[in-house]
Amino acid sequence: MTERVVIIGSGPAGWSAAIYAARAELSPVVYEGNIGKPELLPLGQLALTTEVENYAGFPAGDLAGFIRTAVDEKRQAYFPIEEERHAVTGPELMNLMRQQALNFGTRAITDEIVSIDLSKRPFTLKPESGDQIEAHTIIIATGARANYLGLESEERFKNRGVSACAVCDGALPRFRDRPLVVVGGGDSAVEEASYLTKFGSVVYMVHRRDQLRASRIMQERAFENEKLEVLWNTVVEEVLGDDENGLTGVRLRSTKDDSLTDYEAGGMFVAIGHTPNTSFLDGQVATNDKGYVVWQKSFRTNTSVEGVFAAGDVADDHYRQAITSAGTGCMAALDAEHYLVERGL
Ligand code: NAP
C-alpha cells in the first residue's frame, strides 16, 4: 500500500500537519522518532522545555484538569502533569497536539526514518526498525538540534557539566549554588542564563563580541538581573575538569588580546544556535548554506522535489517558534492535499 501522506517528525509542525491531513481524510502516518536515536527527538524541542507562555490559546488556568480529560489515560504516564504553573508545559502541549492528531485518525509510529529515495515515485522511506514504506507525499518536519562548540574537552564533559539545555538540566544538584557559564549572545543564551540564575550562585554569559544578538527585551532582562554577568569579547578555550568531578571550570580567551583566564564553574550551557535535522535526506532536497530546507516559493511549503513539503524549524532559521512551526505544519498539509487532489492520488 502506498501512503498518501507520511510526516517525519513529531514537534508542533508534525502534529499540526497531521491534524489537518487527518481531517482531510488523508490518513497520515507520523514517524515520531525514537528515544535514544541520534536525530529525531520525539515531540520535538518542546519536549525539553518547561513552561510555554507564548503559545496562543493556553493562558494560565486549571490546565491539569483539562489535560487529564483530553489525553489518553495510558499516555499520561509518559509525562508529568503539573499542578502549579503559569502556563502549559512543553511536554503537556506536545502530548495534547499528539492526542488531537490521533483523535482524527493519524497513525503514530515510534520509529525514525533513516533514509529516503526521492528519485522515483512513489517515494520510498526506510525506517530504522520497520519495513520500507511508500508514499505519494512527504512532509519533512524533523526540526533542528542544538550546536556545540566542538572542543574535545566539551565532548568529554557532556552530561557531566556540559549541557545544551538549561531547562532540561539546570535544576540538577550539580548546578546549584555554583557559578555557571552560558555560551552565546542570542535570545536562547539570555533565556537560558536568566533561567539558570534560579539555581547558580552567579551566571556568566560568555559572548564572542561586544554586543548581544538577543532582542532588546531579552537584553534588558539580562542587564537587569543582578546574578547575570556578561563577559564580552570572550570565547571558551577549554572546558576544565576531571574524571571524578566532571566539569569544574572553563578557560576563557579574550578575543581582544588572547589572554587566558580560568573561571571556576559547576556547569557550561551552550546556546549558540541549532542545526537542522536533514542528514537522512542525503542531499536530495535543496537546502541553504546553513543546511535548512528551502521553500521554493514564498509562503508555500514546497521543497525542490515535487510532492515533498517542509514545515517547522527544519525549514526556518529565523522565527523558530512553536507557533510558527505549527502554522507551517498546517500549510504543508494543505499543500500536500492540493498536490494529491490535482493528481487524483
Ligand atoms: P542565534 O540568534 O543564532 O544566536 C546564536 C549566538 O551564539 C550568537 O550570539 C552567536 O554569536 C553565538 N555563536 C554562534 N556560534 C558560536 C561559536 N562557535 N562560538 C561562540 N559563539 C557562537 O541563536 P538562538 O539564540 O538559538 O536564537 C535563534 C532564533 O530563535 C532567533 O530568531 C531567536 O530570536 C529565537 N528565539 C527566541 C526566543 C524568545 O523570543 N523567547 C528564545 C530563544 C530563541 P554572534 O552574535 O557573534 O553571531
Side-chain angles (χ1 to χ4, degrees), residues 38-86:
E39 284 218 337
L40 251 186
L41 178 67
L43 304 181
Q45 294 178 83
L46 277 196
L48 301 177
T49 64
T50 52
E51 292 176 12
V52 183
E53 294 180 344
N54 54 9
Y55 196 90
F58 289 90
D62 181 12
L63 290 166
F66 164 58
I67 292 162
R68 286 202 181 89
T69 55
V71 177
D72 181 71
E73 219 171 304
K74 284 196 204 106
R75 181 77 191 176
Q76 291 180 25
Y78 286 80
F79 65 104
I81 297 175
E82 302 294 337
E83 297 302 333
E84 285 184 34
R85 84 299 264 315
H86 298 103

mmCIF file of all heavy atoms in Angstrom, residues 38-86:
data_model
loop_
_atom_site.group_PDB
_atom_site.id
_atom_site.type_symbol
_atom_site.label_atom_id
_atom_site.label_comp_id
_atom_site.label_asym_id
_atom_site.label_seq_id
_atom_site.Cartn_x
_atom_site.Cartn_y
_atom_site.Cartn_z
ATOM 1 N N PRO A 38 19.753 9.296 17.278
ATOM 2 C CA PRO A 38 20.563 10.498 17.157
ATOM 3 C C PRO A 38 19.836 11.767 16.710
ATOM 4 O O PRO A 38 20.121 12.837 17.187
ATOM 5 C CB PRO A 38 21.617 10.102 16.115
ATOM 6 C CG PRO A 38 21.046 8.955 15.381
ATOM 7 C CD PRO A 38 20.144 8.269 16.328
ATOM 8 N N GLU A 39 18.921 11.688 15.784
ATOM 9 C CA GLU A 39 18.389 12.927 15.213
ATOM 10 C C GLU A 39 17.036 13.341 15.769
ATOM 11 O O GLU A 39 16.901 14.333 16.452
ATOM 12 C CB GLU A 39 18.317 12.801 13.694
ATOM 13 C CG GLU A 39 19.684 12.943 13.059
ATOM 14 C CD GLU A 39 19.656 13.711 11.752
ATOM 15 O OE1 GLU A 39 18.603 13.772 11.119
ATOM 16 O OE2 GLU A 39 20.702 14.238 11.366
ATOM 17 N N LEU A 40 16.023 12.547 15.449
ATOM 18 C CA LEU A 40 14.660 12.979 15.768
ATOM 19 C C LEU A 40 14.355 12.862 17.251
ATOM 20 O O LEU A 40 14.413 11.779 17.816
ATOM 21 C CB LEU A 40 13.687 12.078 15.011
ATOM 22 C CG LEU A 40 12.943 12.705 13.869
ATOM 23 C CD1 LEU A 40 11.927 11.718 13.323
ATOM 24 C CD2 LEU A 40 12.250 13.954 14.323
ATOM 25 N N LEU A 41 14.039 13.994 17.851
ATOM 26 C CA LEU A 41 13.657 13.972 19.248
ATOM 27 C C LEU A 41 12.140 13.823 19.314
ATOM 28 O O LEU A 41 11.419 14.680 18.820
ATOM 29 C CB LEU A 41 14.077 15.296 19.882
ATOM 30 C CG LEU A 41 13.736 15.520 21.327
ATOM 31 C CD1 LEU A 41 14.517 14.567 22.206
ATOM 32 C CD2 LEU A 41 14.048 16.952 21.697
ATOM 33 N N PRO A 42 11.618 12.731 19.880
ATOM 34 C CA PRO A 42 10.163 12.596 19.944
ATOM 35 C C PRO A 42 9.539 13.816 20.617
ATOM 36 O O PRO A 42 10.047 14.295 21.623
ATOM 37 C CB PRO A 42 9.953 11.338 20.786
ATOM 38 C CG PRO A 42 11.207 10.565 20.622
ATOM 39 C CD PRO A 42 12.306 11.581 20.480
ATOM 40 N N LEU A 43 8.508 14.331 19.998
ATOM 41 C CA LEU A 43 7.790 15.522 20.455
ATOM 42 C C LEU A 43 8.617 16.805 20.316
ATOM 43 O O LEU A 43 8.244 17.860 20.832
ATOM 44 C CB LEU A 43 7.286 15.369 21.895
ATOM 45 C CG LEU A 43 6.391 14.154 22.158
ATOM 46 C CD1 LEU A 43 5.944 14.131 23.611
ATOM 47 C CD2 LEU A 43 5.164 14.145 21.260
ATOM 48 N N GLY A 44 9.742 16.709 19.621
ATOM 49 C CA GLY A 44 10.500 17.908 19.271
ATOM 50 C C GLY A 44 11.163 18.596 20.446
ATOM 51 O O GLY A 44 11.202 18.080 21.562
ATOM 52 N N GLN A 45 11.670 19.784 20.143
ATOM 53 C CA GLN A 45 12.437 20.504 21.166
ATOM 54 C C GLN A 45 11.572 20.961 22.337
ATOM 55 O O GLN A 45 12.090 21.196 23.429
ATOM 56 C CB GLN A 45 13.124 21.709 20.534
ATOM 57 C CG GLN A 45 14.183 21.298 19.529
ATOM 58 C CD GLN A 45 14.815 22.503 18.881
ATOM 59 O OE1 GLN A 45 15.719 23.099 19.433
ATOM 60 N NE2 GLN A 45 14.323 22.874 17.712
ATOM 61 N N LEU A 46 10.264 21.079 22.118
ATOM 62 C CA LEU A 46 9.410 21.497 23.244
ATOM 63 C C LEU A 46 9.376 20.438 24.335
ATOM 64 O O LEU A 46 9.053 20.733 25.478
ATOM 65 C CB LEU A 46 7.982 21.796 22.774
ATOM 66 C CG LEU A 46 7.707 23.172 22.190
ATOM 67 C CD1 LEU A 46 6.213 23.422 22.150
ATOM 68 C CD2 LEU A 46 8.371 24.280 22.967
ATOM 69 N N ALA A 47 9.721 19.202 23.962
ATOM 70 C CA ALA A 47 9.776 18.137 24.968
ATOM 71 C C ALA A 47 10.859 18.452 26.001
ATOM 72 O O ALA A 47 10.860 17.893 27.098
ATOM 73 C CB ALA A 47 10.057 16.799 24.303
ATOM 74 N N LEU A 48 11.779 19.345 25.649
ATOM 75 C CA LEU A 48 12.889 19.674 26.549
ATOM 76 C C LEU A 48 12.663 20.967 27.326
ATOM 77 O O LEU A 48 13.546 21.427 28.031
ATOM 78 C CB LEU A 48 14.185 19.825 25.742
ATOM 79 C CG LEU A 48 14.636 18.623 24.927
ATOM 80 C CD1 LEU A 48 15.876 18.965 24.132
ATOM 81 C CD2 LEU A 48 14.915 17.437 25.840
ATOM 82 N N THR A 49 11.498 21.583 27.150
ATOM 83 C CA THR A 49 11.293 22.871 27.814
ATOM 84 C C THR A 49 10.371 22.720 29.014
ATOM 85 O O THR A 49 9.751 21.678 29.213
ATOM 86 C CB THR A 49 10.650 23.900 26.863
ATOM 87 O OG1 THR A 49 9.353 23.424 26.530
ATOM 88 C CG2 THR A 49 11.464 24.098 25.618
ATOM 89 N N THR A 50 10.294 23.777 29.800
ATOM 90 C CA THR A 50 9.324 23.784 30.903
ATOM 91 C C THR A 50 8.075 24.523 30.415
ATOM 92 O O THR A 50 7.392 24.028 29.538
ATOM 93 C CB THR A 50 9.923 24.428 32.167
ATOM 94 O OG1 THR A 50 10.462 25.690 31.817
ATOM 95 C CG2 THR A 50 10.999 23.547 32.758
ATOM 96 N N GLU A 51 7.816 25.711 30.966
ATOM 97 C CA GLU A 51 6.548 26.370 30.632
ATOM 98 C C GLU A 51 6.614 27.130 29.311
ATOM 99 O O GLU A 51 7.631 27.740 28.994
ATOM 100 C CB GLU A 51 6.149 27.299 31.782
ATOM 101 C CG GLU A 51 5.788 26.471 33.003
ATOM 102 C CD GLU A 51 5.460 27.283 34.224
ATOM 103 O OE1 GLU A 51 5.288 28.498 34.109
ATOM 104 O OE2 GLU A 51 5.377 26.670 35.295
ATOM 105 N N VAL A 52 5.533 27.053 28.575
ATOM 106 C CA VAL A 52 5.438 27.741 27.281
ATOM 107 C C VAL A 52 4.383 28.834 27.445
ATOM 108 O O VAL A 52 3.186 28.561 27.453
ATOM 109 C CB VAL A 52 5.025 26.756 26.165
ATOM 110 C CG1 VAL A 52 4.994 27.447 24.812
ATOM 111 C CG2 VAL A 52 5.960 25.552 26.145
ATOM 112 N N GLU A 53 4.866 30.063 27.603
ATOM 113 C CA GLU A 53 3.940 31.153 27.921
ATOM 114 C C GLU A 53 3.421 31.858 26.676
ATOM 115 O O GLU A 53 2.528 32.692 26.769
ATOM 116 C CB GLU A 53 4.636 32.181 28.818
ATOM 117 C CG GLU A 53 4.973 31.628 30.187
ATOM 118 C CD GLU A 53 5.668 32.640 31.079
ATOM 119 O OE1 GLU A 53 6.161 33.659 30.570
ATOM 120 O OE2 GLU A 53 5.722 32.387 32.289
ATOM 121 N N ASN A 54 4.029 31.539 25.517
ATOM 122 C CA ASN A 54 3.695 32.345 24.333
ATOM 123 C C ASN A 54 2.991 31.547 23.239
ATOM 124 O O ASN A 54 2.953 31.983 22.099
ATOM 125 C CB ASN A 54 4.972 33.008 23.779
ATOM 126 C CG ASN A 54 6.078 31.999 23.515
ATOM 127 O OD1 ASN A 54 5.848 30.797 23.593
ATOM 128 N ND2 ASN A 54 7.265 32.479 23.196
ATOM 129 N N TYR A 55 2.437 30.394 23.587
ATOM 130 C CA TYR A 55 1.672 29.642 22.586
ATOM 131 C C TYR A 55 0.202 30.050 22.748
ATOM 132 O O TYR A 55 -0.407 29.782 23.798
ATOM 133 C CB TYR A 55 1.854 28.134 22.780
ATOM 134 C CG TYR A 55 1.401 27.357 21.562
ATOM 135 C CD1 TYR A 55 2.310 27.084 20.542
ATOM 136 C CD2 TYR A 55 0.087 26.963 21.407
ATOM 137 C CE1 TYR A 55 1.892 26.422 19.393
ATOM 138 C CE2 TYR A 55 -0.331 26.303 20.264
ATOM 139 C CZ TYR A 55 0.585 26.032 19.271
ATOM 140 O OH TYR A 55 0.178 25.381 18.136
ATOM 141 N N ALA A 56 -0.347 30.697 21.724
ATOM 142 C CA ALA A 56 -1.691 31.266 21.848
ATOM 143 C C ALA A 56 -2.709 30.196 22.221
ATOM 144 O O ALA A 56 -2.667 29.073 21.703
ATOM 145 C CB ALA A 56 -2.087 31.931 20.534
ATOM 146 N N GLY A 57 -3.618 30.556 23.114
ATOM 147 C CA GLY A 57 -4.694 29.630 23.465
ATOM 148 C C GLY A 57 -4.477 28.918 24.777
ATOM 149 O O GLY A 57 -5.341 28.156 25.214
ATOM 150 N N PHE A 58 -3.320 29.158 25.414
ATOM 151 C CA PHE A 58 -3.036 28.474 26.681
ATOM 152 C C PHE A 58 -2.659 29.460 27.780
ATOM 153 O O PHE A 58 -1.534 29.465 28.254
ATOM 154 C CB PHE A 58 -1.931 27.429 26.496
ATOM 155 C CG PHE A 58 -2.379 26.250 25.705
ATOM 156 C CD1 PHE A 58 -2.250 26.249 24.326
ATOM 157 C CD2 PHE A 58 -2.973 25.168 26.329
ATOM 158 C CE1 PHE A 58 -2.693 25.172 23.580
ATOM 159 C CE2 PHE A 58 -3.421 24.087 25.588
ATOM 160 C CZ PHE A 58 -3.277 24.091 24.213
ATOM 161 N N PRO A 59 -3.592 30.310 28.196
ATOM 162 C CA PRO A 59 -3.295 31.164 29.349
ATOM 163 C C PRO A 59 -3.263 30.297 30.606
ATOM 164 O O PRO A 59 -3.713 29.157 30.578
ATOM 165 C CB PRO A 59 -4.482 32.131 29.373
ATOM 166 C CG PRO A 59 -5.598 31.358 28.752
ATOM 167 C CD PRO A 59 -4.976 30.451 27.727
ATOM 168 N N ALA A 60 -2.717 30.850 31.678
ATOM 169 C CA ALA A 60 -2.683 30.095 32.934
ATOM 170 C C ALA A 60 -4.111 29.774 33.380
ATOM 171 O O ALA A 60 -5.029 30.545 33.133
ATOM 172 C CB ALA A 60 -1.971 30.918 33.991
ATOM 173 N N GLY A 61 -4.280 28.650 34.001
ATOM 174 C CA GLY A 61 -5.610 28.242 34.470
ATOM 175 C C GLY A 61 -5.515 26.801 34.923
ATOM 176 O O GLY A 61 -4.416 26.250 35.018
ATOM 177 N N ASP A 62 -6.648 26.180 35.199
ATOM 178 C CA ASP A 62 -6.605 24.792 35.649
ATOM 179 C C ASP A 62 -6.400 23.874 34.451
ATOM 180 O O ASP A 62 -7.299 23.167 34.014
ATOM 181 C CB ASP A 62 -7.885 24.427 36.394
ATOM 182 C CG ASP A 62 -7.819 22.980 36.892
ATOM 183 O OD1 ASP A 62 -6.709 22.387 36.852
ATOM 184 O OD2 ASP A 62 -8.853 22.431 37.291
ATOM 185 N N LEU A 63 -5.186 23.906 33.952
ATOM 186 C CA LEU A 63 -4.886 23.090 32.776
ATOM 187 C C LEU A 63 -4.766 21.621 33.136
ATOM 188 O O LEU A 63 -4.991 20.749 32.302
ATOM 189 C CB LEU A 63 -3.589 23.589 32.125
ATOM 190 C CG LEU A 63 -3.704 24.964 31.448
ATOM 191 C CD1 LEU A 63 -2.327 25.516 31.141
ATOM 192 C CD2 LEU A 63 -4.523 24.858 30.179
ATOM 193 N N ALA A 64 -4.375 21.333 34.382
ATOM 194 C CA ALA A 64 -4.185 19.930 34.767
ATOM 195 C C ALA A 64 -5.477 19.141 34.542
ATOM 196 O O ALA A 64 -5.467 18.036 33.985
ATOM 197 C CB ALA A 64 -3.732 19.838 36.212
ATOM 198 N N GLY A 65 -6.591 19.733 34.971
ATOM 199 C CA GLY A 65 -7.882 19.055 34.801
ATOM 200 C C GLY A 65 -8.185 18.818 33.337
ATOM 201 O O GLY A 65 -8.604 17.722 32.934
ATOM 202 N N PHE A 66 -7.944 19.836 32.532
ATOM 203 C CA PHE A 66 -8.194 19.730 31.090
ATOM 204 C C PHE A 66 -7.317 18.632 30.473
ATOM 205 O O PHE A 66 -7.805 17.775 29.731
ATOM 206 C CB PHE A 66 -7.912 21.086 30.435
ATOM 207 C CG PHE A 66 -7.750 21.024 28.942
ATOM 208 C CD1 PHE A 66 -8.766 20.516 28.137
ATOM 209 C CD2 PHE A 66 -6.580 21.464 28.342
ATOM 210 C CE1 PHE A 66 -8.612 20.455 26.750
ATOM 211 C CE2 PHE A 66 -6.417 21.397 26.972
ATOM 212 C CZ PHE A 66 -7.436 20.892 26.176
ATOM 213 N N ILE A 67 -6.031 18.646 30.817
ATOM 214 C CA ILE A 67 -5.097 17.680 30.214
ATOM 215 C C ILE A 67 -5.503 16.250 30.597
ATOM 216 O O ILE A 67 -5.476 15.341 29.766
ATOM 217 C CB ILE A 67 -3.640 18.002 30.637
ATOM 218 C CG1 ILE A 67 -3.216 19.328 30.004
ATOM 219 C CG2 ILE A 67 -2.680 16.881 30.227
ATOM 220 C CD1 ILE A 67 -2.011 19.968 30.639
ATOM 221 N N ARG A 68 -5.938 16.065 31.852
ATOM 222 C CA ARG A 68 -6.337 14.707 32.286
ATOM 223 C C ARG A 68 -7.551 14.197 31.507
ATOM 224 O O ARG A 68 -7.688 13.004 31.280
ATOM 225 C CB ARG A 68 -6.628 14.688 33.788
ATOM 226 C CG ARG A 68 -5.358 14.760 34.602
ATOM 227 C CD ARG A 68 -5.504 14.223 36.010
ATOM 228 N NE ARG A 68 -4.226 14.388 36.662
ATOM 229 C CZ ARG A 68 -3.863 15.486 37.329
ATOM 230 N NH1 ARG A 68 -4.718 16.471 37.490
ATOM 231 N NH2 ARG A 68 -2.664 15.571 37.845
ATOM 232 N N THR A 69 -8.427 15.116 31.116
ATOM 233 C CA THR A 69 -9.605 14.648 30.366
ATOM 234 C C THR A 69 -9.305 14.527 28.876
ATOM 235 O O THR A 69 -9.956 13.767 28.164
ATOM 236 C CB THR A 69 -10.804 15.613 30.530
ATOM 237 O OG1 THR A 69 -10.378 16.913 30.143
ATOM 238 C CG2 THR A 69 -11.303 15.630 31.949
ATOM 239 N N ALA A 70 -8.298 15.289 28.400
ATOM 240 C CA ALA A 70 -8.049 15.336 26.947
ATOM 241 C C ALA A 70 -7.115 14.231 26.466
ATOM 242 O O ALA A 70 -7.295 13.684 25.374
ATOM 243 C CB ALA A 70 -7.465 16.697 26.564
ATOM 244 N N VAL A 71 -6.098 13.909 27.277
ATOM 245 C CA VAL A 71 -5.060 12.981 26.812
ATOM 246 C C VAL A 71 -5.368 11.570 27.306
ATOM 247 O O VAL A 71 -5.743 11.376 28.471
ATOM 248 C CB VAL A 71 -3.659 13.437 27.311
ATOM 249 C CG1 VAL A 71 -2.579 12.449 26.889
ATOM 250 C CG2 VAL A 71 -3.343 14.832 26.770
ATOM 251 N N ASP A 72 -5.198 10.623 26.417
ATOM 252 C CA ASP A 72 -5.407 9.206 26.724
ATOM 253 C C ASP A 72 -4.762 8.852 28.077
ATOM 254 O O ASP A 72 -3.598 9.201 28.321
ATOM 255 C CB ASP A 72 -4.768 8.378 25.600
ATOM 256 C CG ASP A 72 -4.956 6.902 25.828
ATOM 257 O OD1 ASP A 72 -6.084 6.426 25.698
ATOM 258 O OD2 ASP A 72 -3.943 6.227 26.147
ATOM 259 N N GLU A 73 -5.523 8.154 28.907
ATOM 260 C CA GLU A 73 -5.071 7.893 30.275
ATOM 261 C C GLU A 73 -3.721 7.170 30.324
ATOM 262 O O GLU A 73 -2.851 7.487 31.127
ATOM 263 C CB GLU A 73 -6.126 7.053 30.992
ATOM 264 C CG GLU A 73 -6.327 7.449 32.429
ATOM 265 C CD GLU A 73 -7.532 6.729 33.006
ATOM 266 O OE1 GLU A 73 -8.647 6.840 32.447
ATOM 267 O OE2 GLU A 73 -7.321 6.021 33.990
ATOM 268 N N LYS A 74 -3.552 6.195 29.430
ATOM 269 C CA LYS A 74 -2.289 5.423 29.437
ATOM 270 C C LYS A 74 -1.110 6.336 29.094
ATOM 271 O O LYS A 74 -0.025 6.208 29.624
ATOM 272 C CB LYS A 74 -2.362 4.297 28.413
ATOM 273 C CG LYS A 74 -3.203 3.142 28.868
ATOM 274 C CD LYS A 74 -2.909 1.915 27.999
ATOM 275 C CE LYS A 74 -4.078 0.972 28.022
ATOM 276 N NZ LYS A 74 -4.864 0.969 26.785
ATOM 277 N N ARG A 75 -1.343 7.261 28.198
ATOM 278 C CA ARG A 75 -0.288 8.163 27.747
ATOM 279 C C ARG A 75 0.163 9.098 28.870
ATOM 280 O O ARG A 75 1.294 9.592 28.869
ATOM 281 C CB ARG A 75 -0.833 8.967 26.553
ATOM 282 C CG ARG A 75 0.141 9.937 25.945
ATOM 283 C CD ARG A 75 1.168 9.237 25.068
ATOM 284 N NE ARG A 75 2.235 10.148 24.714
ATOM 285 C CZ ARG A 75 3.300 9.814 24.027
ATOM 286 N NH1 ARG A 75 3.470 8.576 23.602
ATOM 287 N NH2 ARG A 75 4.234 10.691 23.745
ATOM 288 N N GLN A 76 -0.722 9.345 29.835
ATOM 289 C CA GLN A 76 -0.410 10.295 30.904
ATOM 290 C C GLN A 76 0.767 9.833 31.766
ATOM 291 O O GLN A 76 1.366 10.625 32.484
ATOM 292 C CB GLN A 76 -1.646 10.552 31.765
ATOM 293 C CG GLN A 76 -2.712 11.323 31.003
ATOM 294 C CD GLN A 76 -3.955 11.590 31.825
ATOM 295 O OE1 GLN A 76 -3.917 11.631 33.055
ATOM 296 N NE2 GLN A 76 -5.075 11.766 31.147
ATOM 297 N N ALA A 77 1.090 8.540 31.677
ATOM 298 C CA ALA A 77 2.230 8.029 32.435
ATOM 299 C C ALA A 77 3.558 8.497 31.822
ATOM 300 O O ALA A 77 4.608 8.415 32.458
ATOM 301 C CB ALA A 77 2.192 6.505 32.441
ATOM 302 N N TYR A 78 3.516 9.007 30.585
ATOM 303 C CA TYR A 78 4.747 9.361 29.872
ATOM 304 C C TYR A 78 5.259 10.767 30.164
ATOM 305 O O TYR A 78 6.328 11.136 29.736
ATOM 306 C CB TYR A 78 4.538 9.238 28.351
ATOM 307 C CG TYR A 78 4.483 7.825 27.849
ATOM 308 C CD1 TYR A 78 3.324 7.077 27.970
ATOM 309 C CD2 TYR A 78 5.600 7.236 27.260
ATOM 310 C CE1 TYR A 78 3.263 5.771 27.514
ATOM 311 C CE2 TYR A 78 5.548 5.941 26.800
ATOM 312 C CZ TYR A 78 4.370 5.210 26.933
ATOM 313 O OH TYR A 78 4.315 3.923 26.474
ATOM 314 N N PHE A 79 4.453 11.597 30.815
ATOM 315 C CA PHE A 79 4.900 12.972 31.064
ATOM 316 C C PHE A 79 4.236 13.492 32.340
ATOM 317 O O PHE A 79 3.126 13.072 32.674
ATOM 318 C CB PHE A 79 4.559 13.879 29.867
ATOM 319 C CG PHE A 79 3.084 14.066 29.624
ATOM 320 C CD1 PHE A 79 2.465 15.258 29.990
ATOM 321 C CD2 PHE A 79 2.311 13.063 29.059
ATOM 322 C CE1 PHE A 79 1.110 15.439 29.778
ATOM 323 C CE2 PHE A 79 0.952 13.244 28.840
ATOM 324 C CZ PHE A 79 0.351 14.432 29.202
ATOM 325 N N PRO A 80 4.931 14.382 33.063
ATOM 326 C CA PRO A 80 4.323 14.891 34.292
ATOM 327 C C PRO A 80 3.254 15.935 33.984
ATOM 328 O O PRO A 80 3.439 16.770 33.096
ATOM 329 C CB PRO A 80 5.509 15.542 35.027
ATOM 330 C CG PRO A 80 6.509 15.832 33.977
ATOM 331 C CD PRO A 80 6.276 14.906 32.823
ATOM 332 N N ILE A 81 2.127 15.860 34.672
ATOM 333 C CA ILE A 81 1.107 16.908 34.549
ATOM 334 C C ILE A 81 1.277 17.814 35.774
ATOM 335 O O ILE A 81 1.145 17.367 36.910
ATOM 336 C CB ILE A 81 -0.312 16.297 34.490
ATOM 337 C CG1 ILE A 81 -0.428 15.417 33.235
ATOM 338 C CG2 ILE A 81 -1.374 17.398 34.494
ATOM 339 C CD1 ILE A 81 -1.730 14.647 33.110
ATOM 340 N N GLU A 82 1.646 19.060 35.506
ATOM 341 C CA GLU A 82 1.981 19.971 36.605
ATOM 342 C C GLU A 82 0.710 20.483 37.273
ATOM 343 O O GLU A 82 -0.272 20.813 36.604
ATOM 344 C CB GLU A 82 2.790 21.163 36.075
ATOM 345 C CG GLU A 82 4.080 20.781 35.355
ATOM 346 C CD GLU A 82 5.116 20.140 36.259
ATOM 347 O OE1 GLU A 82 5.049 20.362 37.488
ATOM 348 O OE2 GLU A 82 5.981 19.400 35.745
ATOM 349 N N GLU A 83 0.743 20.580 38.609
ATOM 350 C CA GLU A 83 -0.407 21.130 39.333
ATOM 351 C C GLU A 83 -0.287 22.648 39.438
ATOM 352 O O GLU A 83 -1.256 23.371 39.341
ATOM 353 C CB GLU A 83 -0.502 20.520 40.740
ATOM 354 C CG GLU A 83 -0.749 19.018 40.744
ATOM 355 C CD GLU A 83 -2.026 18.603 40.012
ATOM 356 O OE1 GLU A 83 -2.974 19.391 39.924
ATOM 357 O OE2 GLU A 83 -2.056 17.460 39.499
ATOM 358 N N GLU A 84 0.944 23.104 39.698
ATOM 359 C CA GLU A 84 1.136 24.554 39.864
ATOM 360 C C GLU A 84 2.052 25.064 38.778
ATOM 361 O O GLU A 84 3.166 24.595 38.627
ATOM 362 C CB GLU A 84 1.760 24.835 41.224
ATOM 363 C CG GLU A 84 0.760 24.679 42.329
ATOM 364 C CD GLU A 84 1.341 25.038 43.669
ATOM 365 O OE1 GLU A 84 2.185 25.944 43.729
ATOM 366 O OE2 GLU A 84 0.944 24.376 44.642
ATOM 367 N N ARG A 85 1.584 26.027 38.034
ATOM 368 C CA ARG A 85 2.376 26.546 36.924
ATOM 369 C C ARG A 85 1.747 27.833 36.435
ATOM 370 O O ARG A 85 0.650 28.203 36.844
ATOM 371 C CB ARG A 85 2.472 25.513 35.823
ATOM 372 C CG ARG A 85 1.340 25.421 34.832
ATOM 373 C CD ARG A 85 -0.028 25.096 35.218
ATOM 374 N NE ARG A 85 -0.475 23.724 35.098
ATOM 375 C CZ ARG A 85 -0.269 22.923 34.068
ATOM 376 N NH1 ARG A 85 0.374 23.330 33.026
ATOM 377 N NH2 ARG A 85 -0.745 21.714 34.069
ATOM 378 N N HIS A 86 2.494 28.529 35.556
ATOM 379 C CA HIS A 86 1.968 29.762 34.979
ATOM 380 C C HIS A 86 1.377 29.510 33.601
ATOM 381 O O HIS A 86 0.623 30.306 33.094
ATOM 382 C CB HIS A 86 3.093 30.795 34.841
ATOM 383 C CG HIS A 86 3.671 31.175 36.147
ATOM 384 N ND1 HIS A 86 4.875 30.695 36.598
ATOM 385 C CD2 HIS A 86 3.174 31.968 37.120
ATOM 386 C CE1 HIS A 86 5.101 31.188 37.796
ATOM 387 N NE2 HIS A 86 4.104 31.956 38.135
#
